[in-house]
Amino acid sequence: MRNKIILWTFVAIFYNGAIKSQILPNRYVESIFTNYTETNDVQFSTNVPQPKPGGGFYEWITGLPLNAKEYEFDDINLYMDIFEPTGDTIAKRPLVIICFGGGFLDGSKDYWSIREIAMQLAKRGYVTASIDYRLGMNVFDSELSKRAPYRALQDGRSAIRFFKADAAGSNTYKIDTSNIYIGGHSAGAFIALHNAYLDLESERPASTYVWLQDGNTCPDLGCLDCVGDNLSYSGQAAAVFSLAGALGSVGYVGTADDVPSVMFHSEDDDTVPYNSGQPFSYISWAIIGFELPDVYGSAEIADQGDLVGLEYQFNSYTDRGHAVHEETSSTLYPDIIPKISDSFYYEFLKPVTHPIFGKADVCLDDLTQEYNTLDDSAMYYDWSISGGVINNLDIMSHSVNVTWDSQATVHQLKLTPYSCQAARGDETILEIALHTHNTNTWISGNGNWEDDSNWSLGHSPLPCEDVVFPNQSGNIIVSMSDGTSDVVRSVFVGQNVQFNLLENANLYIATGGNLEVKGIINIYGRIEISGLGSNLIENLINDGIINVLSNGLIMSSM
């Protein structure tokens, strides 16, 4: 109930309580917020061990920790910047954690394109966070180098755990913990992809356990959720995005139930292979002793995904290089945010759109009708109408009472559902036809009452219609499904459409539902209604509701 109240507040802010239709903005698909609120340097991990630089010529030249001592550490704290839509009142919001690139050697949460992704997604209604993670790698040992992405993977999971713990406690950020996503560029994309697919202890690289480096013992890095804070929670995301990322093994993608991903990669990427190979191939020749393991890029991940039936999207390019998301030094390619947000994450947020149930064929003497949809995934319902009025509209209700206008030329009922995260579902439309008094004749043999093709007017009988079962060459069985409840004006058995007397029409109605006849049942042939007791039939005959005419016969079977 609290979530519903907050959602209604959100509706009122945008629309000042409009009565007929309360359409919400198209959250997650469009930038619906003008501003975002940024909270800087929020600590999410405390005293995590980062390897010390190892020194040497290449570290001296580059200033990067590429000869890291995996056996000596400094304990550091990790921080994030959090971006929220300004003025947002939704109680449970999806979260996107974004990780910078830099080969696990360089970079920070302040990198411009990481911040730009965070800001643009926040304006679409997400809470976002750009995070730091531990740096330092030994590029001269292919096995030892695997410890760097594993450490960063642990840090990304720690960031997710921070928000889960907050949601269970102070709930400062109002996060929907079932919709926490993670993504990034280059090394940051490695973090995201490994969050999705390196999810078993058995998949850990051997060097992440106790390992030797130059005669020194490198300690076990611990399990996936064994480093950082809030260790009682799982750090796995619900979905990920990858900008020029790769995996240490395509075998990590094991089943169709693995976390879904959206990937962006360009064939001319010379830093992270589009297919497979050693990272940094363009500079590896310049560093004596450079030795990194082969990794498997987006094309290989997509192929493996096809083999196991994984849910993924792969956006492939030919000329964007490694910075697959950066069009200029200050702008993103225009397709990046939409393909992350409304083409991928939005599919997890929007409610299922069900049909509208109720009478599409309506009699002129019965213009007020009830309509509904299934109440299983939506929280708010935008009902709108053409050619009628909605009586007592309740935006939280999956049903409406409608009165149709007999003078209108178009009659439609439309429904757009919204999830608890205010994600707009697909619109569904029910077309309505108004009918006057008419005769609807059974034109089939055995069949189902509700099957429109069995009736001369192309629909099952309406309350304003006389139902005629004309002469048949043999007995017929008309069945009504369980739960069916229909009303008709009258029933004629044993006559043709010109109402000529025919005494050999034998009709068996197998009733699993309920049929109400407003007028007279005229039986010229024989009718057997299963499930009705003989006393009830006798009462109907005595009351004049059923007329047994000529040689007509009515029977009951129990």
Side-chain angles (χ1 to χ4, degrees), residues 27-28 30-38 82-88 93-96 98 114-129 337 341:
R27 191 178 176 118
Y28 315 116
E30 300 172 356
S31 294
I32 66 170
F33 292 91
T34 303
N35 298 310
Y36 62 88
T37 300
E38 182 177 352
I82 301 173
F83 304 77
E84 301 175 77
T86 301
D88 190 15
R93 304 178 293 183
L95 167 73
V96 184
I98 309 163
I114 298 303
R115 287 181 52 83
E116 187 66 22
I117 293 172
M119 290 184 289
Q120 289 197 31
L121 289 176
K123 289 181 179 181
R124 287 177 173 237
Y126 297 90
V127 177
T128 60
I337 296 299
S341 181

Side-chain angles (χ1 to χ4, degrees), residues 44-245:
F44 69 90
S45 261
T46 308
N47 295 325
V48 290
Q50 176 173 271
K52 293 182 178 182
F57 175 75
Y58 292 110
E59 283 198 355
W60 178 72
I61 289 292
T62 64
L64 301 176
L66 48 75
N67 186 31
K69 293 181 180 179
E70 291 287 347
Y71 51 87
E72 291 186 5
F73 299 91
D74 290 317
D75 289 337
I76 64 170
N77 300 326
L78 296 175
Y79 299 89
M80 65 172 77
D81 296 335
I82 301 173
F83 304 77
E84 301 175 77
T86 301
D88 190 15
T89 58
I90 296 298
K92 297 182 69 174
R93 304 178 293 183
L95 167 73
V96 184
I97 291 172
I98 309 163
C99 311
F100 62 87
F104 305 105
L105 300 171
D106 194 18
S108 80
K109 61 182 173 60
D110 300 318
Y111 186 68
W112 77 265
S113 65
I114 298 303
R115 287 181 52 83
E116 187 66 22
I117 293 172
M119 290 184 289
Q120 289 197 31
L121 289 176
K123 289 181 179 181
R124 287 177 173 237
Y126 297 90
V127 177
T128 60
S130 61
I131 69 166
D132 279 331
Y133 54 87
R134 288 171 288 174
L135 301 177
M137 180 167 62
N138 190 304
V139 302
F140 304 103
D141 186 319
S142 62
E143 285 303 318
L144 202 61
S145 67
K146 296 176 183 179
R147 291 170 68 95
Y150 185 78
R151 265 193 303 271
L153 166 62
Q154 290 176 317
D155 296 339
R157 293 179 70 100
S158 180
I160 291 175
R161 296 197 307 268
F162 168 85
F163 285 101
K164 288 185 176 181
D166 174 78
S170 62
N171 197 25
T172 302
Y173 301 103
K174 298 180 176 61
I175 300 301
D176 175 8
T177 57
S178 63
N179 284 291
I180 295 179
Y181 315 127
I182 191 170
H185 172 238
S186 191
F190 275 66
I191 294 173
L193 289 171
H194 284 83
N195 182 288
Y197 306 121
L198 197 165
D199 54 353
L200 301 173
E201 182 71 16
S202 60
E203 294 172 334
R204 280 180 56 182
S207 64
T208 66
Y209 296 93
V210 175
W211 199 257
L212 291 179
Q213 178 186 5
D214 301 329
N216 297 292
T217 300
C218 306
D220 188 333
L221 294 181
C223 73
L224 291 167
D225 287 313
C226 289
V227 177
D229 301 340
N230 307 300
L231 301 181
S232 61
Y233 298 92
S234 169
Q236 188 161 36
V240 306
F241 76 86
S242 165
L243 302 164

